């Protein structure tokens, strides 16, 4: 008897299962059926119980629609054989025999079987089991007899489905009505019971030392089943005490025997080493029975006092149910209960934990993960300084509008207020950066808090935060079960109004030099935007955050607009008579010309006309709206075609880039040559994570994207982003090459994370432009008329550092060696670093 997670359900010899759907103790009956007038009769208008045969050339398929549970395994997996809305609905020649047999074997109701010649195959020979499908029926298999009921014409006697929701028209069989009735079972009772059943109940004798291992007046610290124990020998007697001092949890294992008593190393509190009795005002220490045997010293060990189904387990399981598969963080003293729940889930292969060297890297990694996948990851920290270290990366996620979940420990609630060690008002500290921040308390609805946090993060594309006081993390969760996302997330494909579309299309038809601008908010809608552009024959520019969303080789691609952009993009914007802007934020960095007629498309009404009025604001999901625009253009605009003009502007720009790349300097390589070489040699579908600084500006100008995906710290513009974000990108897409690009200043912020990448075997190639200064700040000081001051850097040998960490490191300072150096790094399995000596003035 198992639940939907295949966890065993403990029962008595005789049990009553709920069939009405109303029991508060599902799957068990609690008598609720008597109060709701439950009717056990089958409906008169149900499909007749009759087996039909569909004979093919190789196989005959037998089907009794009257007993079908409509689980959908057949129609979902083999559409060419099991055809919806067609009669005859089964085509036995629609696919290979083996595929048909495999699909029929999936049928849980026993309605489907097959014949080969004269032999009929109805059963699967499975072990006896009743399996509870969450929000669905009982799946019964293994020839468990259903007493007093005919299973149906031609049906399997070995497996069948039984109704749990009470709405089936074919009781006691399931007929799929649970879906229409929105039947719900959170399985809290069976999930909590199954996890609590893991608690060891019996005491056991455990050997902890050899005979004569401990000398008179000495102690030995031992850890058995996660319990810290202090073993001592005083006046010829062995003693064993709990290893934590009752005063403030001090480590008695680090104490000493002083005149026959055990003293705590923190405050000197004394205890009898044999009985655990306190010699003062403190509470006593728990003592264990000790036996000296021929082969060693044994203690009688209790089962661990920690619950195996705690608040932390409920919330961590809810987090996984909502799709969180990775946690980046640092385990510490005020998050140990939560960390234990995460450890258990990792052991069950439900998530992956990545231990970082600085909490700021954890939040940046989460931001990078979300920018690549669109899904939230979680970052974990202790209270106080660990929590505050998360803030920069969380601000990056908030400002670039991607979902992240922050989990922070907190001091025990009894210490909140007076100013305890590492006590910070975390709710206030995180208020500005989060859309949701709550403290988990002893009487909270734990699963709902986690569900609301992730709903807010996902729906509002921002940061959610939960605070876990130390002692609350390990409270027993009782019969509470985890939460689920089903029915909590809406469809985001919002259509624009007909009026807005009509106004937009009128402007589009009137325009003679329309230009399309795609921002970062259009990243998931580029196929529709490109389709629209190809029908309109209009150039497509991108913002810097949108770089790479259309390949630069596409005949309508016009490059990046703005300070980090190309003269191609500015050429077409300046000569446009209409700008059609999808998913852009209109930042000053991009410089979209507000004096032009603008059609702005965005799903967020607050983004439309945010900084200045636009001619036609269109509220709608970007992909949906772009497709509507494309469909409105019946055929391509033959009167418009900018392809030759685009090609000519690219020819001029590439000639200029080639001229710049030939500039030589004794200080190092110039950026035009570096990024020309990277354009040629980085894998076509790589994820590229950018930092900030001159290297980023040069990337925007000189690097030509093919199928690359680019992420960066857009609105926050935080130095140090690239490498920890690359760790998140790697965890999101380990199947795709991940490239990180930064200057020496940026890499220096989180260079210790290179060891994290080595530890977790992350295949990341880091391109480091080393000019021994904060080059962008130097340029800004000069441009502003200031003397250059305090921008020089004292750097290590970064390539050697990478090697010392266990990765690959190589340095290059000559043009002729750059390409082969990059190729060598890209072939290395694991983290690799290419240190390029560059000239800060040739950008």
């Amino acid at each position: 008897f198992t639940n939907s997670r295949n966890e065993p359900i403990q029962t008595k010899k005789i049990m009553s299962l709920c069939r009405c759907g109303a029991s508060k103790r599902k799957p068990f009956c609690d008598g609720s059926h008597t109060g709701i007038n439950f009717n056990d009769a089958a409906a008169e208008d149900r499909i007749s119980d009759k087996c039909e045969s569909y004979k093919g050339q190789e196989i005959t398929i037998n089907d009794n629609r009257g007993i079908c549970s409509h689980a959908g395994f057949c129609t979902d997996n083999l559409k060419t054989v099991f055809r919806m809305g067609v009669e005859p609905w089964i085509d036995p020649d629609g696919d290979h025999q083996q595929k048909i047999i495999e699909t029929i074997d999936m049928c849980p109701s026993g309605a489907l079987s097959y014949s080969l010649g004269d032999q009929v195959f109805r059963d699967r020979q499975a072990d006896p089991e009743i399996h509870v499908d969450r929000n669905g029926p009982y799946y019964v298999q293994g020839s468990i007899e259903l007493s007093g009921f005919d299973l149906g014409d031609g049906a399997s006697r070995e497996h069948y489905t039984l109704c749990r929701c009470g709405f089936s028209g074919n009781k006691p069989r399931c007929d799929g009505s649970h879906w229409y009735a929105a039947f719900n079972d959170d399985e809290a009772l069976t999930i909590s019971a199954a996890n609590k059943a893991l608690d060891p109940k019996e005491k056991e004798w455990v050997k902890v030392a050899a005979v004569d291992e401990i000398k008179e007046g000495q102690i030995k610290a031992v850890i058995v089943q996660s319990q810290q124990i202090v073993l001592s020998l005083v006046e010829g007697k062995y003693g064993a005490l709990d290893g934590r001092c009752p005063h403030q949890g001090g480590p008695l294992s680090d104490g000493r025997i002083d005149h026959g008593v055990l003293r705590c190393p923190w405050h000197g509190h004394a205890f009898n080493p044999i009985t655990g009795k306190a010699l003062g005002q403190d509470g006593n220490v728990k003592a264990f029975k000790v036996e000296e045997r021929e082969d060693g010293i044994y203690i009688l060990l209790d089962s661990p006092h920690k619950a195996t189904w705690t608040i932390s387990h409920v919330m961590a399981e809810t987090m996984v149910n909502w799709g969180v598969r990775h946690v980046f963080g640092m385990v510490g003293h005020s998050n140990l209960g939560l960390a234990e729940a995460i450890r258990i889930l990792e052991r069950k292969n439900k998530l992956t934990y990545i231990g970082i060297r600085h909490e700021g890297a954890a939040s940046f990694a989460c931001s990078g993960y979300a920018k690549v996948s669109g899904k939230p990851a979680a970052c974990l920290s202790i209270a106080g300084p660990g929590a505050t270290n998360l803030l920069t990366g969380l601000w990056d996620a908030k400002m670039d509008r991607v979902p992240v979940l922050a989990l922070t420990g907190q001091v025990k609630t009894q210490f909140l207020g007076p100013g305890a060690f590492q006590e910070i008002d975390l709710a206030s500290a995180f208020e500005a950066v989060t859309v949701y921040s709550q403290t988990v308390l002893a009487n909270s609805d734990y699963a709902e808090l986690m569900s609301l946090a992730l709903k807010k993060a996902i729906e509002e594309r921002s940061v959610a935060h939960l605070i876990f006081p130390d002692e609350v993390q390990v409270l027993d969760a009782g019969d509470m079960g985890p939460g689920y996302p089903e029915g909590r997330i809406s469809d985001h494909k919002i259509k624009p109004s007909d009026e807005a579309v009509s106004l937009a299309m009128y402007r589009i038809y009137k325009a003679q030099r329309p230009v399309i601008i795609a921002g970062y908010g259009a990243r998931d809608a580029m196929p529709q935007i490109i389709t629209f552009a190809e029908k309109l024959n209009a150039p497509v520019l991108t913002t810097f955050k949108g770089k790479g969303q259309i390949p630069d080789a596409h005949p309508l691609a016009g490059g990046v607009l703005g300070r980090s952009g190309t003269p191609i993009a500015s050429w077409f914007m300046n000569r446009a008579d209409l700008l059609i802007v999808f998913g852009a934020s209109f930042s000053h960095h991009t410089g979209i010309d507000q004096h032009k007629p603008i059609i702005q498309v965005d799903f967020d009404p607050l983004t439309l006309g945010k900084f200045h009025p636009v001619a036609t604001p269109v509220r709608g999901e970007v992909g949906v709206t772009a497709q509507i625009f494309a469909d409105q253009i019946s055929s391509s605009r033959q009167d418009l075609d900018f392809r030759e003009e685009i090609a000519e502007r690219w020819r001029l720009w590439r000639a200029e880039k080639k001229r710049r790349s030939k500039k030589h300097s004794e200080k190092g390589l110039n950026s035009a040559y570096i990024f020309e070489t990277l354009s040629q040699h980085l894998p076509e579908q790589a994820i590229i994570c950018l930092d900030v600084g001159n290297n980023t500006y040069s990337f925007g100008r000189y690097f030509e994207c093919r199928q690359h995906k680019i992420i960066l710290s857009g609105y926050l513009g935080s130095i140090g982003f690239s490498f920890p974000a690359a760790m998140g990108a790697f965890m999101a897409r380990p199947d795709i090459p991940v490239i990180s690009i930064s200057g020496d200043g940026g890499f220096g912020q989180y260079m210790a994370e290179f060891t994290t990448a080595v530890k977790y075997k992350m295949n990341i190639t880091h391109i480091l432009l080393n000019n021994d200064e904060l080059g962008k700040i130097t340029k800004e000081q000069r441009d502003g008329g200031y003397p250059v001051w305090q921008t020089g850097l004292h750097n290590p040998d970064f390539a050697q550092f990478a090697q010392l960490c266990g990765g690959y490191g190589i340095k290059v300072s000559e043009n002729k060696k750059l390409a082969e150096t990059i190729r060598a790094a890209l072939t290395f399995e694991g983290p690799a670093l290419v240190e390029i000596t560059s000239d800060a003035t040739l950008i």
Side-chain angles (χ1 to χ4, degrees), residues 330 333-334 358-360 381-391 408-411 421-424 426 430:
M330 185 174 291
H333 64 92
S334 57
H358 188 282
E359 294 88 351
S381 81
I382 64 167
T388 57
N389 280 346
L390 294 174
L391 287 171
T408 60
Q410 179 59 292
V411 301
F421 176 68
Q422 292 194 336
E423 180 200 350
I424 287 177
L426 292 178
F430 281 72

Side-chain angles (χ1 to χ4, degrees), residues 323-326 328 365-378 401-404 458 461 520 523-524 687 689 709-711 725 727-736:
V324 175
R325 294 292 179 266
H326 297 88
F328 300 85
C366 287
S367 183
Y369 179 91
K371 289 174 181 180
V372 169
S373 69
K375 300 175 182 178
R401 303 196 67 179
V402 292
V404 169
I458 293 167
R461 298 184 304 166
Y520 182 66
R523 60 193 179 276
D524 297 323
I687 299 168
C689 307
K709 184 177 184 65
I710 314 299
I711 66 170
M727 296 195 303
F730 174 81
M731 298 311 295
R733 292 299 306 270
D735 57 318
I736 293 178

Side-chain angles (χ1 to χ4, degrees), residues 254-271:
D254 294 338
R256 70 187 192 283
I257 300 296
D258 182 14
H259 295 91
V261 300
L262 176 62
R263 291 196 177 275
C264 175
W266 281 7
H267 303 102
H269 295 277
F271 304 91

